[in-house]
């Protein structure tokens, strides 16, 4: 069962965190295995599966990145080896990666800070650009659901790429 269906909420990228937590606690009480100790083994197994589903749904839906990944996978948009990132973005990232490689050989704290600021600026711009799509999904005016999901996929892949760069930056930060 789809996590959104299980929680009886519409599919969305932006959710009410408090409502998700409340639903998790409600279902945790409802499907707590201790309440079914005297039931048949089949019923106990069913409750255990529902309890596990509840935990997995909560972990996924309460985390914005995992939720985005989940929605994209539910729509078969994240496929191994078929996740293309726009070439202009890759060229920008190649420049940043080259600057990081230069830091490997000739560390410069000011250059590290500059690269960090540049990557943070790109992340902020990505977040700013995708927010209207996330806010209106799935009721979009002027967009189809497929177009919106394609935009979200591109955002997700770019952000994932940038997170790797930021991890590299944090390793360099330990040197300064």
């Amino acid at each position: 069962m789809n996590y959104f269906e299980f929680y009886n909420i519409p599919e969305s990228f932006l959710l009410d965190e408090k409502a998700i937590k409340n639903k998790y606690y409600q279902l945790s009480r409802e499907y707590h295995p201790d309440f079914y100790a005297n039931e048949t083994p089949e019923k106990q197994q069913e409750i255990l599966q529902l309890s596990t589903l509840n935990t997995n749904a909560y972990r996924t839906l309460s985390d914005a990145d995992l939720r985005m990944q989940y929605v994209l996978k539910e729509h078969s948009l994240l496929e191994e080896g078929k996740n293309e990132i726009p070439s202009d973005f890759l060229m920008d990232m190649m420049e940043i990666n080259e600057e990081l490689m230069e830091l490997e050989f000739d560390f410069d704290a000011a250059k590290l800070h500059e690269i960090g600021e540049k990557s943070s600026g790109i992340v902020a711009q990505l977040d700013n650009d995708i927010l209207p799509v996330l806010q209106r999904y799935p009721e979009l005016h002027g967009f189809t659901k497929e177009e919106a999901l394609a935009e979200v996929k591109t955002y997700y892949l770019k952000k994932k790429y940038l997170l790797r760069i930021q991890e590299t930056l944090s390793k360099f930060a330990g040197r300064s």
Side-chain angles (χ1 to χ4, degrees):
M1 176 182 279
N2 173 302
Y3 294 159
F4 293 100
E5 291 169 3
F6 184 66
Y7 273 25
N8 197 26
I9 57 174
E11 181 179 276
S12 178
F13 291 104
L14 304 176
L15 297 175
D16 179 348
E17 302 289 331
K18 188 175 180 180
I20 295 297
K21 187 179 275 190
N22 288 340
K23 187 67 169 183
Y24 169 71
Y25 286 132
Q26 174 205 338
L27 293 175
S28 290
R29 286 186 295 275
E30 186 176 332
Y31 299 129
H32 197 285
D34 289 351
F35 297 135
Y36 297 87
N38 296 328
E39 295 290 335
T40 65
E42 293 79 17
K43 183 68 174 177
Q44 289 178 11
Q45 185 62 33
E46 175 190 342
I47 294 302
L48 185 59
Q49 288 172 344
L50 289 169
S51 178
T52 301
L53 179 62
N54 183 40
T55 300
N56 292 338
Y58 178 71
R59 283 187 185 140
T60 300
L61 297 179
S62 64
D63 180 285
D65 291 330
L66 290 176
R67 183 172 52 242
M68 185 174 289
Q69 179 183 36
Y70 179 76
V71 170
L72 292 170
K73 282 184 177 179
E74 282 292 300
H75 291 277
S76 302
L77 292 172
L78 290 181
E79 299 175 37
E80 199 67 36
K82 294 186 180 180
N83 297 320
E84 294 184 22
I85 300 175
S87 58
D88 59 333
F89 177 81
L90 289 175
M91 292 301 289
D92 292 342
M93 294 306 101
M94 193 167 78
E95 285 180 31
I96 291 175
N97 279 318
E98 286 173 359
E99 291 173 345
L100 287 171
M101 285 173 45
E102 288 174 19
L103 284 179
E104 256 321 300
F105 299 107
D106 186 20
F107 184 76
D108 178 353
K111 186 68 174 171
L112 175 67
H113 179 74
E114 179 186 321
I115 297 168
E117 291 292 312
K118 187 187 304 184
S119 71
S120 293
I122 294 169
V123 169
Q125 186 63 51
L126 283 174
D127 289 345
N128 191 48
D129 291 347
I130 200 64
L131 186 60
V133 176
L134 299 179
Q135 288 172 329
R136 293 188 317 252
Y137 182 87
E139 285 87 31
L140 302 154
H141 304 288
F143 278 98
T144 65
K145 188 174 181 177
E146 290 74 23
E147 289 170 329
L149 286 168
E151 278 194 45
V152 172
K153 175 184 177 182
T154 300
Y155 163 82
Y156 175 81
L157 295 172
K158 286 179 177 181
K159 187 143 186 203
K160 199 170 162 186
Y161 197 104
L162 281 160
L163 285 174
R164 287 193 298 267
I165 287 176
Q166 290 178 328
E167 286 172 6
T168 302
L169 286 168
S170 66
K171 289 176 189 171
F172 277 113
R175 291 186 182 182
S176 53

